[in-house]
Amino acid sequence: MRPWPYQRSANACHANAGAPIEFEVTHAFHPWRGKRFVLTTRKPNWGEDRVTFFDEDGQLRSLLASWTSVDEPDAFARAAAGLSWLRVDDLARLRALVDEVRSALQRRKGVKNNTPQK
């Protein structure tokens, strides 16, 4: 086996090693959403977990693995059953970031924060 980062992903293996592995593009805003492709390889590339495949024109392409169905859905995705696009912890981090940016902007302008505090 070749050393990291060129090792084959355990997630991309099947009991029948000769069977092609298909995946679907699942990213909500990607133009290929819903299209299926045959996995060529999966490995860290450009510092990210990526899948590579040949498109309809025979061109070798690459996408983030998280934008595809190559992995099983995580526990949140299974529990949300498609009803929630955002996780609570992600929303809380977003709120903290917005508050931080708002405070920094108000400090630059010399304006006090009039937002009610909890």
Side-chain angles (χ1 to χ4, degrees), residues 9 11 42-45 47-51 63-66 71:
S9 167
N11 292 341
R42 178 182 183 180
K43 64 182 180 180
N45 198 1
E48 301 170 319
D49 182 20
R50 299 186 75 88
V51 296
L63 284 174
L64 289 172
S66 61
D71 284 329

Side-chain angles (χ1 to χ4, degrees), residues 24-35 85:
E24 182 176 328
V25 178
T26 58
H27 188 280
F29 305 111
H30 198 283
W32 287 340
R33 179 181 170 90
K35 287 193 177 185
W85 287 74

Side-chain angles (χ1 to χ4, degrees), residues 15-76:
N16 180 357
I21 301 166
E22 288 192 5
F23 66 91
E24 182 176 328
V25 178
T26 58
H27 188 280
F29 305 111
H30 198 283
W32 287 340
R33 179 181 170 90
K35 287 193 177 185
R36 297 190 65 78
F37 298 98
V38 175
L39 180 69
T40 302
T41 190
R42 178 182 183 180
K43 64 182 180 180
N45 198 1
W46 301 318
E48 301 170 319
D49 182 20
R50 299 186 75 88
V51 296
T52 57
F53 58 95
F54 289 99
D55 67 10
E56 301 92 355
D57 299 325
Q59 191 79 14
L60 186 62
R61 302 289 186 164
S62 154
L63 284 174
L64 289 172
S66 61
W67 291 3
T68 71
S69 64
V70 76
D71 284 329
E72 292 292 320
D74 65 9
F76 173 83

